[in-house]
């Protein structure tokens, strides 16, 4: 609580200082008005930057244009050069303007920067999409359905991206996605887990970069590609900010505020949020076990081992109460006109309580044999913090640039589970209770340097280094109740798992443009060290016997790999181009995929990691096409990926019987190959000013080939997903938006998953002279976002249904000061890129 109060006090102090600084403005001011439009189309440019530079070359003040491209800025009387900038447009200056009285300047037209080597900008009123050599950039801050939602929810509205009912993020149907924050791995996104994204407000996002063909600058991790989440950091001069509150049913509430103070010498920014959420969920499992047989080695006859037909039905209810606090405070200090250093601190605190209730019925030959009730009460306390420093030196205005980064992250999690289980039928009986304590500490250091050198008018050379050192220690203690009612440590399953992942990489890449052809060629060299050590009272042989799998309890593996990248764009016309990308990627196993100790939330169904997992390697090709018309934008792509040693989660019967229940284990393994090909289509259509439509469709074919424990797991699967969104502007400043999503059926060697449909609705109304907005949205209108699966193995079948979160109603209110609502497109950042030079955008 002290930490929360300190952070809030700091935010208030910043606001107080900022307001004081505002009060010292020059009394003799004039108002300068005008309009900024796009050359050729006369389309008004919202959020274009207008700056007033004095005769000494310093920027005195500035502002941004509104919805209609108009601006009205208070300027101290004097002589200025008026500078107008907008991302992807050529900068224009009007020199020697003597502004001694209120003045209306002539309308200024900005031309699209046709010489830009790496991007084509597509404008639509609801969505800004920038298509570049290696990625697509989506501005999602204007999506009404994300009001009061989390970052994880917002990602589910991004084309090519799906978020399943458990929060797992997929890109084009592939879950091996690398999540970056501002171009870097971050505690904000979680350490190898997406759970943290459920705790951050969607309002913190400025844009999302979907990188399906990453260049050599990026970490080679993630066979599906990379999602780079760029957080908000206002660049408008002066003091501005906003605050948003939300309240929902089932009970959820939160408040998020952001404040930004920018002067000529520094930029202070802060986003702080407090949340409370109740997320009820449910699951259902129906496992049927068939008679098991074997062959008598002497007679060759079939022998029945388990003659009885068993069936276990498990009904599970989740009650989740999540509450927490997060803040991101930073300051950018401008050392010179061309260089700056930025420091920031991120803190996240969590205090959660989950109650999972399992009701299990066991049948023998159709008759009810046993009924049990298992309750797990889990409390979890999290503390994550991240400290980062960034140095940028722009040697000139042509893109000659050096950046250096240092980042330290620490995540501490203490999870305690108290499990009770009782038999109700045939006779009442209390099974021994369990008290489980899991303490997890994760640390990560990041050191990175990138150098960009333009060569001539169109060429560019780039080189850099990145080192990531990560350590994860999981201390698992299992205390079980004995006959005397005393809890005693189980030395068989209690353990400490120490896992280290160190990655060092150097890269270089070169890009150029010849006529209508732009290309970017790169090569990355990475060395990966995966090191694990298990502290347990069991020796290796006993350990393997106890867990039912042969493992190496102490391993140290090194992998050295080259990762080439090729990205091409050919301009067929001013509004039409084709692109081709190739890259080689790696999928490194994460800690929970390697930790061999099984989960204990369910007796019937457990998940167990596999320390023998090796990294998977993939080669991917992507062929894209872009066409723009006045009111319609079309993007399509065809992609192919071939992966070796790919991960696959398989289910098998362990042979163990606990409390009379057969145990089914899910374990990840390396399959030999994984082949994926698909087609993607996206449309943005604005037929009239009051109606905006967009949609996407993704179809893919998936083939895998491999075996485990003598069982073949090869399979072929065809699936697809589609989303559609419509936004209608109604009278009285009311907006209405509908988002719909459908994922088609999928399957692997053992499991068939049914299709999933969900729909979100949202309404918003601007009030208080557009400084305030009231919003209402319904998430999962039909309460249909459920995963239904059916698994068939040699000795059993499993029919299941899982719903992470039920339908949600949310009411929100947003108030902005010194900001205007972003109706059409996010403000351009003047060419500054969070993750690289001109070729990276």
């Amino acid at each position: 609580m002290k930490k929360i109060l300190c952070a809030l006090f700091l935010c208030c102090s910043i606001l107080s200082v900022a307001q004081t600084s505002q009060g010292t403005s020059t009394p003799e001011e004039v108002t300068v008005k005008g309009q900024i439009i796009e050359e050729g189309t006369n389309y008004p440019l919202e959020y274009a930057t207008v700056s007033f530079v004095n005769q000494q070359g310093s920027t005195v003040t500035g502002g941004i244009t509104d919805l209609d491209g108009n601006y009205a800025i208070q300027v101290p009387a004097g002589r200025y050069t008026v500078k107008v900038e907008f991302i992807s447009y050529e900068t224009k200056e009007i020199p020697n303007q003597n502004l001694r009285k209120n003045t209306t300047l002539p309308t200024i037209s900005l031309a699209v920067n046709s010489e830009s080597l790496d991007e084509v900008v597509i404008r639509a009123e609801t969505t800004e999409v920038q298509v570049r050599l290696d990625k697509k950039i989506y501005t999602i801050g204007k999506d009404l359905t994300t009001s009061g939602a989390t970052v994880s929810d917002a990602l589910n509205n991004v084309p090519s991206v799906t978020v399943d009912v458990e929060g797992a993020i997929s890109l084009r149907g592939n879950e091996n996605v690398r999540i970056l924050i501002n171009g870097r791995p971050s505690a904000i996104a979680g350490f190898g887990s997406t759970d943290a994204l459920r705790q951050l407000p969607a309002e913190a996002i400025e844009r999302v970069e979907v990188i399906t063909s990453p260049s050599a600058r990026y970490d080679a991790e993630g066979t599906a590609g990379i999602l780079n989440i760029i957080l908000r950091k206002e660049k408008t001069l002066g003091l501005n900010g906003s605050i948003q509150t939300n309240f929902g049913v089932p009970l959820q509430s939160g408040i998020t505020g952001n404040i930004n103070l920018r002067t000529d010498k520094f930029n202070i920014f802060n986003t702080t949020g407090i949340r409370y959420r109740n997320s009820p969920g449910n699951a259902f499992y129906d496992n049927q076990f068939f008679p098991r047989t074997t062959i008598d080695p002497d007679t060759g006859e079939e022998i029945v081992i388990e003659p009885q037909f068993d069936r276990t039905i498990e009904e599970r209810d989740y009650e989740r109460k999540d509450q927490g606090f997060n803040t991101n405070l930073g300051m950018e200090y401008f050392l010179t006109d061309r260089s700056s250093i930025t420091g920031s601190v991120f803190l996240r605190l969590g205090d959660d309580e989950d109650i999972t209730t399992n009701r299990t019925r066991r049948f023998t030959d159709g008759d009810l044999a046993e009924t049990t009730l298992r309750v797990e009460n889990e409390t979890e306390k999290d503390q994550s913090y991240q400290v980062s420093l960034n140095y940028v030196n722009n040697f000139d205005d042509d893109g000659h640039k050096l950046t250096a980064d240092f980042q330290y992250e620490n995540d501490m999690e203490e999870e305690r589970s108290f499990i009770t289980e009782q038999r109700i039928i045939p006779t009442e009986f209390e099974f021994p209770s369990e008290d489980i304590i899991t303490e997890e500490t994760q640390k990560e250091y990041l050191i990175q340097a990138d150098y960009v050198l333009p060569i001539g008018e169109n060429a560019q050379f780039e080189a850099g280094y990145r080192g990531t050192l990560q350590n994860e220690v999981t201390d698992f203690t299992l205390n079980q109740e004995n006959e005397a009612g005393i809890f005693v440590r189980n030395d068989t399953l209690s353990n400490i798992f120490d896992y280290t992942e160190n990655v060092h990489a150097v890269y270089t890449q070169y890009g150029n443009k010849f006529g209508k052809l732009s290309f970017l060629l790169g090569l990355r060299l990475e060395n990966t060290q995966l090191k694990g050590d298990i502290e347990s009272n069991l020796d290796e042989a006993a350990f393997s016997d106890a867990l039912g799998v042969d493992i190496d309890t102490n391993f140290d593996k090194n992998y050295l790999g080259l990762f080439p990248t090729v990205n091409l764009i050919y301009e067929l016309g001013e509004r039409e181009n084709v692109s081709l990308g190739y890259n080689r990627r790696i999928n490194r196993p994460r800690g929970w995929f390697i930790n061999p100790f099984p989960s204990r939330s369910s007796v019937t169904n457990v998940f167990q990691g596999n320390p023998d997992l090796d990294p998977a390697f993939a080669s991917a090709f992507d062929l894209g096409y872009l066409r723009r018309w006045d009111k319609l934008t079309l993007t399509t792509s065809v992609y192919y990926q071939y992966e070796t040693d790919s991960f696959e989660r398989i289910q098998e019967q362990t042979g163990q019987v606990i409390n009379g229940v057969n145990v089914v284990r899910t374990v990840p393994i390396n399959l030999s190959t994984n082949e994926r090909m698909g087609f993607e289509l996206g449309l943005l259509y604005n037929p009239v000013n009051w109606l905006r439509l967009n949609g996407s469709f993704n179809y893919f074919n998936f083939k895998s080939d491999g075996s485990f424990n003598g069982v073949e797991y090869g399979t072929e699967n065809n699936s697809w997903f589609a989303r559609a969104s419509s936004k209608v502007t109604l009278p009285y400043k009311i907006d209405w938006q509908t988002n719909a999503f459908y994922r088609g059926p999928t399957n692997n060697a053992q499991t068939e998953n049914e299709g999933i449909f969900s729909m979100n609705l949202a309404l918003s109304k601007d009030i208080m002279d557009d400084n305030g907005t009231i919003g209402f949205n319904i998430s999962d209108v039909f309460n249909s976002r459920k995963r239904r699966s059916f698994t068939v193995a040699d000795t059993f079948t499993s029919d299941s249904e899982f719903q992470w979160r039920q339908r949600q109603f949310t009411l929100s209110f947003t108030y902005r000061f010194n900001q205007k609502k972003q109706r059409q497109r996010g403000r351009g950042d003047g060419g500054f890129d969070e993750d690289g030079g001109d070729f990276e955008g």
Side-chain angles (χ1 to χ4, degrees):
M1 188 65 186
K2 290 181 179 179
K3 294 178 181 178
I4 296 177
L5 292 176
C6 289
L8 293 176
F9 177 77
L10 183 57
C11 295
C12 293
S13 299
I14 295 172
L15 179 59
S16 176
V17 172
Q19 290 175 333
T20 301
S21 67
Q22 270 198 327
T24 59
S25 59
T26 303
E28 297 181 2
E29 293 184 334
V30 299
T31 300
V32 180
K33 299 180 179 180
Q35 186 185 33
I36 311 299
I37 62 175
E38 184 182 74
E39 184 175 298
T41 66
N42 294 331
Y43 191 97
L45 296 179
E46 185 188 10
Y47 289 91
T49 303
V50 183
S51 304
F52 294 84
V53 183
N54 62 21
Q55 292 179 310
Q56 289 73 42
S58 299
T59 300
V60 175
T61 188
I64 55 177
T65 56
D66 64 12
L67 174 67
D68 299 315
N70 297 319
Y71 62 90
I73 303 171
Q74 298 292 323
V75 183
R79 189 176 294 275
Y80 299 95
T81 293
V82 181
K83 185 177 182 180
V84 181
E85 299 172 284
F86 196 70
I87 187 171
S88 306
Y89 289 76
E90 295 178 348
T91 299
K92 183 170 288 189
E93 294 184 353
I94 307 177
N96 200 28
Q97 296 295 304
N98 190 12
L99 305 176
R100 303 290 179 181
K101 61 181 180 179
N102 294 342
T103 304
T104 299
L105 296 176
T107 298
I108 300 174
S109 301
L110 297 185
V112 175
N113 187 359
S114 60
E115 298 300 320
S116 176
L117 185 62
D118 59 327
E119 73 176 37
V120 178
V121 176
I122 307 166
R123 182 185 57 246
E125 284 195 57
T126 55
T127 304
E128 178 189 20
V129 183
Q130 299 177 28
V131 179
R132 303 192 175 182
L133 275 168
D134 59 350
K135 61 191 171 187
K136 297 176 184 176
I137 304 174
Y138 296 91
T139 302
I140 64 174
K142 299 169 289 298
D143 194 324
L144 303 182
T145 60
T146 64
S147 178
T150 67
V151 170
S152 183
D153 297 325
L155 289 177
N156 204 36
N157 292 334
V158 176
S160 305
V161 180
T162 57
V163 183
D164 72 10
V165 293
E166 294 178 280
I169 298 172
S170 299
L171 182 58
R172 292 175 169 175
N174 188 344
E175 290 186 5
N176 183 225
V177 184
R178 180 67 158 167
I179 307 294
L180 303 179
I181 302 292
N182 294 336
R184 302 162 189 87
S186 174
I188 300 177
F191 294 86
S193 168
T194 58
D195 289 343
L197 299 179
R198 290 175 171 165
Q199 303 173 19
L200 296 177
E203 291 77 17
I205 302 178
E206 179 178 311
R207 64 183 188 269
V208 175
E209 299 179 349
V210 179
I211 309 171
T212 53
S213 184
S215 67
R217 158 180 280 271
Y218 293 100
D219 183 2
E221 169 71 25
T223 55
I226 296 172
L227 291 180
N228 186 21
I229 301 171
I230 305 299
L231 302 182
R232 294 186 184 277
K233 186 173 67 173
E234 184 63 43
K235 298 176 177 64
T236 306
L237 289 174
L239 175 71
N240 58 79
S242 66
I243 186 169
Q244 182 182 72
T245 61
N246 63 79
F247 178 83
V249 178
L251 181 60
Q252 71 156 356
S253 60
I255 180 169
T256 300
N258 71 80
I259 186 170
N260 196 98
L261 172 65
R262 180 170 179 137
T263 70
D264 289 335
K265 292 301 295 181
F266 63 84
N267 183 27
I268 298 176
F269 50 92
N270 174 255
T271 299
T272 299
I274 301 174
R275 76 176 193 286
Y276 176 88
R277 169 172 287 197
N278 185 0
S279 300
N282 58 83
F284 173 84
Y285 299 89
D286 185 352
N287 295 340
Q288 298 189 35
F289 303 90
F290 302 113
R292 297 175 60 194
T293 62
T294 187
I295 302 299
D296 189 315
D298 297 327
T299 64
E301 296 180 354
E302 186 177 66
I303 302 174
V304 177
I305 301 175
E306 294 182 5
Q308 291 183 316
F309 175 89
D310 284 346
R311 181 182 184 186
T312 301
I313 297 177
E314 179 182 339
E315 296 172 292
R316 190 181 302 182
D317 291 320
Y318 301 96
E319 295 180 25
R320 306 185 191 89
K321 296 179 180 178
D322 304 330
Q323 52 189 348
F325 165 84
N326 64 81
T327 185
N328 184 35
L329 175 65
M331 177 177 177
E332 181 179 10
Y333 183 76
F334 305 104
L335 301 171
T336 67
D337 290 341
R338 299 185 183 277
S339 64
S340 67
I341 186 170
T342 302
S344 64
V345 178
F346 171 78
L347 172 67
R348 182 179 67 243
L349 304 175
D351 188 0
D352 307 333
E353 181 179 4
D354 298 346
I355 300 176
T356 304
T357 303
N358 289 337
R359 299 174 180 85
T360 303
R361 291 174 291 162
R362 181 169 175 262
F363 298 82
T364 301
D365 290 335
D367 297 325
L368 180 62
E370 185 180 58
T371 300
T372 60
L373 178 65
R374 179 183 174 91
V375 178
E376 177 181 3
N377 192 324
E378 176 186 302
T379 59
E380 181 178 318
K381 295 184 182 297
D382 300 296
Q383 177 180 297
S384 299
Y385 65 88
Q386 172 184 295
V387 179
S388 60
L389 288 173
N390 168 258
Y391 170 75
V392 178
N393 189 350
N394 295 286
F395 298 102
D396 54 35
D397 293 331
D398 297 325
H400 189 195
K401 182 178 182 179
L402 172 68
T403 62
D405 295 275
F406 170 79
Q407 187 170 282
Y408 170 72
E409 306 167 357
N410 185 288
D411 182 51
M412 294 173 287
E413 177 182 303
E414 180 180 320
E415 180 183 296
R416 186 159 193 166
S417 300
F418 189 78
I419 301 176
T420 61
E421 185 171 5
Q422 58 178 324
R423 184 177 63 200
I424 301 173
I425 297 175
T427 58
E428 293 189 5
F429 176 77
E430 295 283 345
F431 293 102
S433 299
E434 295 183 348
D435 187 11
I436 303 171
I437 303 173
T438 304
E439 295 180 353
E440 191 171 67
T441 302
Q442 303 180 65
K443 298 179 181 180
E444 183 171 305
Y445 294 88
L446 170 70
I447 302 173
Q448 180 174 333
D450 300 285
Y451 177 73
V452 181
L453 176 64
I455 303 173
E457 184 178 358
N458 292 325
Q460 180 173 293
F461 168 80
E462 188 172 351
Y465 161 81
R466 174 182 285 187
T468 305
L469 311 176
Q470 180 178 334
N471 178 254
E472 175 183 333
V473 178
T474 303
D475 189 341
F476 178 86
T477 303
L478 172 60
N479 299 307
Q480 294 177 307
E481 186 181 19
N482 62 18
E483 295 180 356
I486 300 174
F487 284 88
V488 179
R489 174 187 167 98
N490 183 321
D491 292 328
T492 300
L493 294 180
S494 297
N495 67 92
I496 298 177
F497 182 53
D498 191 328
Y499 178 62
T500 298
E501 178 183 296
N502 296 328
V503 180
H504 297 276
V506 292
Y507 78 94
T508 183
Q509 58 186 20
Y510 174 77
N512 208 334
K513 181 177 182 179
F514 297 101
K516 297 183 177 182
L517 176 66
S518 302
F519 67 85
L520 182 61
L521 309 177
L523 184 64
R524 188 178 185 91
L525 174 67
E526 284 194 355
N527 182 76
T528 300
Q529 180 190 35
L530 304 180
K531 185 178 180 180
D533 181 58
I534 299 174
E535 295 183 21
S536 172
N537 288 345
L538 299 175
D539 58 28
E540 197 160 289
F543 193 94
S544 299
D545 290 340
L547 298 180
V549 60
D550 293 330
I551 66 168
D552 183 1
T553 59
N554 192 341
F555 60 90
D556 189 349
K557 304 176 182 179
N558 272 274
Y559 306 88
L560 184 67
L562 282 173
F563 301 91
T565 61
V566 178
N567 288 287
L568 309 171
I569 284 184
Y570 184 77
E571 299 173 5
L572 299 174
E574 183 179 351
R575 296 187 173 188
E576 186 178 20
N577 67 62
V578 292
S579 60
L580 176 65
Y582 163 78
N583 62 92
R584 185 171 186 257
R585 310 288 295 165
I586 184 175
N587 181 9
R588 305 181 186 95
R590 294 297 172 183
W592 70 288
F593 256 41
I594 291 179
N595 193 335
F597 288 89
S599 64
R600 301 190 65 79
S601 59
S602 169
V603 171
T604 308
N605 301 276
V606 300
F607 179 88
Q608 182 176 2
N610 179 9
D612 289 330
L613 273 182
D614 292 320
F617 294 88
S619 293
F621 297 86
D622 190 296
L623 177 64
Y625 173 75
L626 163 73
R627 180 72 167 92
R628 289 193 300 159
W629 293 269
D630 290 338
K631 296 183 179 181
L632 176 67
T633 297
L634 166 70
T635 60
T636 65
S637 63
V638 178
Y639 53 89
Y640 172 81
Q641 181 184 89
Y642 184 81
E643 184 174 347
T644 59
D645 289 329
S646 59
F647 302 163
E648 183 69 51
R649 281 174 280 196
I650 60 103
Q651 287 182 301
E652 62 180 2
Q653 193 171 346
T654 64
Q656 293 177 302
V657 179
I658 300 178
N659 297 342
V661 179
N662 290 286
V663 179
V664 175
R665 173 178 60 199
T666 300
V667 60
I669 62 171
N670 285 112
L671 280 179
S672 57
T673 62
N674 176 323
E675 192 174 9
R676 182 185 301 267
M677 63 182 66
F679 167 76
E680 191 172 52
L681 171 70
L683 292 171
L684 299 170
Y685 182 47
N686 303 143
V688 290
N689 290 335
W690 53 269
L691 176 63
R692 281 80 70 186
L693 305 171
N694 67 71
S696 62
F697 174 82
N698 196 304
Y699 171 85
F700 58 89
N701 173 270
F702 173 86
K703 296 179 182 178
S704 63
D705 180 26
S707 61
F708 181 71
N709 285 345
V711 179
E712 291 292 332
Y713 289 100
T715 187
E716 182 174 355
N717 174 37
N718 296 293
S719 188
W720 58 279
F721 61 86
R723 57 167 44 87
S725 175
S726 66
K727 187 175 181 181
V728 180
T729 299
L730 302 173
Y732 306 105
K733 298 182 179 180
I734 296 175
D735 286 332
W736 170 27
Q737 184 171 327
T738 303
N739 286 359
F741 173 81
Y742 179 78
R743 190 187 73 185
T746 62
N747 67 273
N748 58 24
Q750 292 182 302
T751 302
E752 295 183 1
N753 300 297
E754 295 184 11
I756 298 177
F757 172 79
S758 64
M759 177 180 287
N760 299 335
L761 297 178
L763 290 168
S764 75
K765 175 174 172 54
D766 294 339
I767 59 176
M768 304 171 68
D769 194 25
D770 287 352
N771 289 318
T773 302
I774 298 175
F776 174 74
N777 69 66
I778 308 174
S779 175
D780 194 9
V781 175
F782 301 107
N783 202 37
S784 57
R785 191 170 172 79
K786 302 176 181 180
R787 184 187 64 205
R788 297 180 175 90
S789 303
F790 185 73
T791 299
V792 178
D794 287 344
T795 60
F796 72 94
T797 63
S798 179
D799 191 0
S800 65
E801 178 181 288
F802 179 79
Q803 182 179 28
W804 174 264
R805 190 175 66 199
Q806 298 176 9
R807 176 174 44 219
Q808 185 82 42
F809 301 86
T810 304
L811 180 67
S812 65
F813 171 71
T814 302
Y815 177 75
R816 296 168 290 274
F817 59 93
N818 296 339
Q819 288 184 351
K820 285 293 184 180
K821 180 182 178 184
Q822 298 185 16
R823 281 184 173 271
Q824 292 181 336
R825 58 181 293 165
R827 176 186 177 274
D829 59 10
F832 176 80
D833 176 55
E834 302 282 357
D835 189 50
D838 292 338
F839 276 86
E840 299 301 335

